[in-house]
Amino acid sequence: MSILGVQWPSASDSRRYSDCQTKRPPHYAADPSDLHAQRARANPQWRSAHTSAAPGFIKGYFDHSRLHFLSSVKLKAELVREAQARAEVKQEQQKAFAPKIAPESPVKGKGRARDERVIMHCDFDCFFVAAGLLSRPDFRGKPVVVCHSQGNQGGTSSTSEIASASYEARVAGIKNGMSLQQARKLCPTALTMPYEFDRYKDLSLNFYTILMFYADELEAVSIDEALIEVTAAVSRLRSDAARAGSPHDPAKDFAQKIRAEVKEATGCEISVGISHNILLARLATRRAKPAGAVHITPADVPGLIATLEITDLWGFAGSHREKAREKLGSTALSELTLYNAIRGIDDALLQSDQLRKSVSAEINYGIRFQSNEEAEAFIREMGITVAERLDEAKMRGRSITLKIMEREPSAPVEAPKFMGHGHCDAFQKQTPLVGPGGRATSDPQVIGEHAWRIVASFHFDPKELRGIGIQITNLEPADRPVSINSNQQRSSFKPSEVAPQAPALHALPKICPFLSSTRSWSKNGAVAPPRSRSASVFPERKSAPSMRMQQSGLLRHGAYVNSLHRNRPANALSRPTDADLGLAPEVYALLPSAIQREQLTAARLIKNLGAIPINKPKTFLLHDSNIQASAC
DNA sequence: ATCCTCCCCTAC
DNA sequence: TAAGGTAGGGGAGGAT
Ligand SMILES: Nc1ccn([C@H]2C[C@H](O)[C@@H](COP(=O)(O)OP(=O)(O)OP(=O)(O)O)O2)c(=O)n1
Ligand SMILES: [Mg+2]
């Protein structure tokens, strides 16, 4: 089916999405949630009031989702901007009375040797819990968790997820992300506290204001976490200390001063990791927690790294651990070539505005439809939601991707986690998003229409849907009809094919209008697209994903970040480049030449090591001289 | 070469 | 009852 050059999708393939994999913590007990919950779900009245079919479900969901909260705070950057404004006011005030106290203009990071930098990684201790304790001092010193379920709600079988656990609770083995029932097994006396999203923002603003006051540069990581470069401030302290013959570490003293200020302003503890690069500063924070400061110096590096696992490095998790185990026979950093990953991180600055590459909205919780009509209404409302987010970001898009989760056929109809998605097959399909005149768009009607058509093309049984996501990509600024990616094609069709104006939606031929109950595939997530309808227009896939080559797994996720530099526009960005893995020359010699030319990422390294004709991983151990050379 | 599509992965 | 979002890096493989 082709409309104005747009190819509407046919069904595609799926991937498994399991409750039982490392993807999400396996915290949901195999037995279903308790009888109360079961009865509630079975009750049509309850369903129509509390699932995706309910009016207002989407707003209510996003209002209560802590993961959405975390993402939206990070995205907006308004906190950081406000903090910068406040910090500048304070600096002006101090300059007027005591010019020497206010920090001087920072020395540009580029002009400084890497090992001269002082990087601090500042992170609240059990942030949500610490915030909650401000109004529950009687809970201090006890095992406390923040989750939706409160008190004895849900009894011992609550599937409510724990956002944050106090250090007393962690002693019992409770971890962030665990279900409450799991936590109660580990610690029956654990106390619960509710979310207080507004308070988290207030505390964060105070935190960022203090950091901004001292920082030469600041990178916002999340609502409770930031990286600052404080080289200028510390070097002043250092020369003072040298004059006074003080034995103290000025960087650590400075960190303690920042900790005290944040404690004073927020009533909460932060921990500070200090080092000459980001990777090491993050490692230092882990050793500093809770309520401490740790400085890792170049001299500490060899001894420290020798004790670590690959997953202790930021950005490395389960997939890398398994890859290392398979390919190298070890997960110990000291046994891996990654040993040498401990190097400086580039501080190159980008002048561009925040470069949003995608805008999306998804819900994979409480998705339960009885009919196609319910599903369609929901998807169109999600379309409106994404459209609003596009407008907020002042962006328009040219591509739309639908992400759909469907109950895996062998999975129970109701998931172990209350109203959760359970074990699912996941489907994804991307098509051009064609706005009026073939232009990029943020029009909710257009987005909704595309979204619904994509979903309809799959012919799902609406009762089996468990998750819906809409993502818009190929973005361009709403006020400037120029693509961000200058090389990319405007769209999938030529200007001559573009209708002079937007086709009226009602005039579009209705295709795939129903989520029919028939689907002509089933096995193993591999899909045979229905022969009917659009198969002739939409090319059939040659192979199912399950037949594809296994992915290698990835690497470093250094994203474009919110970064504020004093004396630069608030929206200026800096991009920490990938950590330079800094292989020893003899290791480079073993790698395929194509790899050598590019920046070597850990994923490539781990992947390619398997193909290198060597006997043992030991070959890749580095000499002390290399470590010294690269660690600084 | 450089894209597009579909996937995986990580972090908070 | 509970609220499993979101963006970006990056790889594989096909199209152009
Ligand atoms: N799986 C998770 C992880 C974190 N968070 C939220 C709650 C945390 O309080 C906040 C900050 O995350 P951290 O990783 O910094 O964890 P904490 O601050 O709770 O503990 P700590 O930093 O002391 O380890 O993000 C969440 O909702 N779900
Ligand atoms: Mg924290």
Side-chain angles (χ1 to χ4, degrees):
Chain A
M1 192 68 213
S2 178
I3 300 163
L4 300 173
V6 182
Q7 294 192 333
W8 298 107
S10 64
S12 183
D13 312 307
S14 76
R15 72 174 218 276
R16 286 294 201 254
Y17 199 99
S18 170
D19 268 5
C20 311
Q21 290 168 359
T22 53
K23 173 86 178 170
R24 293 193 185 283
H27 301 314
Y28 311 122
D31 55 307
S33 19
D34 69 352
L35 281 174
H36 270 55
Q38 276 189 40
R39 258 198 296 275
R41 279 186 302 241
N43 178 338
Q45 247 115 37
W46 188 93
R47 291 186 72 102
S48 59
H50 294 92
T51 67
S52 51
F57 173 83
I58 292 177
K59 181 183 186 319
Y61 180 75
F62 284 131
D63 281 350
H64 289 95
S65 164
R66 105 259 187 206
L67 291 175
H68 170 73
F69 171 75
L70 290 176
S71 296
S72 62
V73 168
K74 182 185 171 94
L75 234 57
K76 289 206 178 84
E78 73 196 20
L79 258 180
V80 183
R81 238 163 270 192
E82 174 64 18
Q84 186 185 35
R86 293 189 182 194
E88 278 168 3
V89 167
K90 194 176 160 199
Q91 278 157 13
E92 288 309 310
Q93 289 169 352
Q94 296 217 352
K95 234 182 253 173
F97 296 102
K100 294 193 86 170
I101 296 177
E104 297 158 13
S105 284
V107 182
K108 280 279 190 312
K110 273 179 180 168
R112 189 193 310 281
R114 279 181 173 174
D115 58 0
E116 285 176 29
R117 291 191 299 163
V118 180
I119 308 276
M120 292 189 181
H121 178 236
C122 308
D123 188 312
F124 278 93
D125 298 331
C126 53
F127 182 49
F128 287 10
V129 166
L133 286 175
L134 295 175
S135 51
R136 290 305 303 257
D138 51 317
F139 279 12
R140 278 194 194 279
K142 298 181 173 157
V144 182
V145 301
V146 168
C147 59
H148 282 293
S149 179
Q150 289 298 295
N152 278 330
Q153 288 172 347
T156 56
S157 64
S158 170
T159 60
S160 183
E161 221 164 275
I162 289 165
S164 184
S166 72
Y167 278 76
E168 293 81 0
R170 292 180 200 196
V171 169
I174 298 176
K175 290 185 165 62
N176 292 2
M178 225 174 227
S179 74
L180 184 57
Q181 63 185 357
Q182 192 79 2
R184 288 214 205 277
K185 264 183 211 145
L186 295 165
C187 178
T189 61
L191 300 163
T192 58
M193 287 194 310
Y195 290 93
E196 300 179 70
F197 292 150
D198 287 342
R199 177 176 279 182
Y200 306 153
K201 278 194 198 169
D202 286 348
L203 295 172
S204 188
L205 177 56
N206 288 333
F207 167 70
Y208 272 105
T209 301
I210 291 165
L211 299 188
M212 196 70 76
F213 181 79
Y214 295 112
D216 301 338
E217 272 196 81
L218 184 150
E219 176 183 327
V221 177
S222 75
I223 190 163
D224 90 321
E225 181 182 345
L227 288 154
I228 53 176
E229 184 180 336
V230 289
T231 312
V234 170
S235 69
R236 277 195 303 279
L237 285 178
R238 186 172 286 138
S239 44
D240 292 352
R243 267 197 300 279
S246 163
H248 287 283
D249 173 359
K252 192 166 165 181
D253 289 349
F254 192 55
Q256 293 292 11
K257 174 178 159 65
I258 289 175
R259 286 199 346 95
E261 275 194 44
V262 173
K263 179 75 196 291
E264 168 74 20
T266 66
C268 299
E269 295 284 356
I270 65 168
S271 294
V272 178
I274 313 156
S275 196
H276 51 282
N277 68 48
I278 293 172
L279 184 60
L280 292 170
R282 286 181 180 278
L283 281 173
T285 306
R286 191 163 328 136
R287 304 176 79 196
K289 278 180 175 290
V294 165
H295 186 174
I296 295 177
T297 66
D300 298 330
V301 170
L304 168 67
I305 298 307
T307 68
L308 297 177
E309 295 276 301
I310 184 170
T311 50
D312 289 325
L313 297 178
W314 189 90
F316 291 78
S319 73
H320 303 111
R321 187 183 54 230
E322 293 319 303
K323 202 61 87 176
R325 213 200 299 283
E326 280 169 31
K327 303 270 188 190
L328 302 167
S330 171
T331 60
L333 217 43
S334 60
E335 305 260 340
L336 305 178
T337 310
L338 294 177
Y339 195 108
N340 208 19
I342 311 302
R343 287 187 68 168
I345 290 188
D346 198 339
D347 54 9
L349 302 175
L350 297 190
Q351 85 298 5
S352 75
D353 278 3
Q354 173 114 24
L355 187 55
R356 279 290 275 289
K357 293 178 176 172
S358 70
V359 172
S360 70
E362 65 185 274
I363 299 182
N364 303 300
Y365 182 87
I367 302 296
R368 300 292 188 279
F369 300 117
Q370 299 290 347
S371 66
N372 290 325
E373 289 68 28
E374 287 180 359
E376 176 174 357
F378 181 89
I379 284 155
R380 290 185 185 277
E381 199 182 334
M382 287 292 279
I384 294 171
T385 303
V386 187
E388 288 168 354
R389 294 182 187 182
L390 278 168
D391 286 342
E392 205 176 333
K394 296 185 164 58
M395 298 295 247
R396 294 174 186 162
R398 292 188 172 277
S399 295
I400 181 169
T401 304
L402 265 281
K403 208 198 100 183
I404 298 125
M405 294 178 69
E406 181 193 38
R407 181 178 68 89
E408 201 274 334
S410 69
V413 172
E414 276 309 330
K417 179 177 166 66
F418 181 71
M419 281 293 124
H421 56 63
H423 185 185
C424 282
D425 289 330
F427 298 78
Q428 184 175 309
K429 180 162 288 296
Q430 179 177 6
T431 73
L433 174 64
V434 186
R439 293 188 294 269
T441 189
S442 66
D443 184 316
Q445 299 298 115
V446 173
I447 291 171
E449 184 67 20
H450 281 77
W452 171 241
R453 283 169 189 258
I454 291 172
V455 174
S457 73
F458 280 104
H459 300 278
F460 289 113
D461 177 349
K463 293 190 170 72
E464 305 293 358
L465 294 176
R466 293 294 181 272
I468 303 284
I470 302 177
Q471 180 185 49
I472 307 297
T473 51
N474 266 328
L475 301 182
E476 56 189 52
D479 57 5
R480 193 168 48 91
V482 173
S483 169
I484 286 173
N485 182 347
S486 56
N487 282 343
Q488 84 193 14
Q489 283 191 320
R490 286 272 84 78
S491 66
S492 62
F493 49 89
K494 297 179 171 60
S496 59
E497 297 172 299
V498 177
Q501 51 199 359
L505 286 174
H506 60 77
L508 293 174
K510 281 253 189 286
I511 54 167
C512 306
F514 302 112
L515 294 173
S516 91
S517 56
T518 58
R519 265 204 310 159
S520 54
W521 69 83
S522 65
K523 65 164 184 180
N524 249 6
V527 169
R531 300 291 340 169
S532 62
R533 305 188 185 278
S534 53
S536 62
V537 183
F538 219 76
E540 238 178 83
R541 295 188 50 120
K542 300 286 192 289
S543 66
S546 53
M547 305 302 286
R548 281 188 176 193
M549 200 176 264
Q550 200 58 30
Q551 277 209 212
S552 63
L554 308 190
L555 186 49
R556 166 97 166 68
H557 312 273
Y560 287 83
V561 292
N562 275 326
S563 173
L564 296 177
H565 190 298
R566 188 171 298 142
N567 302 332
R568 283 197 288 115
N571 57 1
L573 295 176
S574 87
R575 187 180 71 105
T577 59
D578 285 352
D580 180 349
L581 294 172
L583 297 183
E586 64 268 28
V587 177
Y588 274 112
L590 292 169
L591 292 168
S593 58
I595 297 294
Q596 293 185 49
R597 264 183 268 112
E598 314 168 58
Q599 172 148 35
L600 186 68
T601 66
R604 282 185 200 138
L605 175 66
I606 293 173
K607 180 181 147 201
N608 281 285
L609 282 181
I612 296 170
I614 52 160
N615 297 328
K616 314 173 194 172
K618 277 223 160 205
T619 309
F620 297 98
L621 278 174
L622 296 177
H623 304 305
D624 280 354
S625 58
N626 292 326
I627 296 161
Q628 293 294 21
S630 60
C632 301

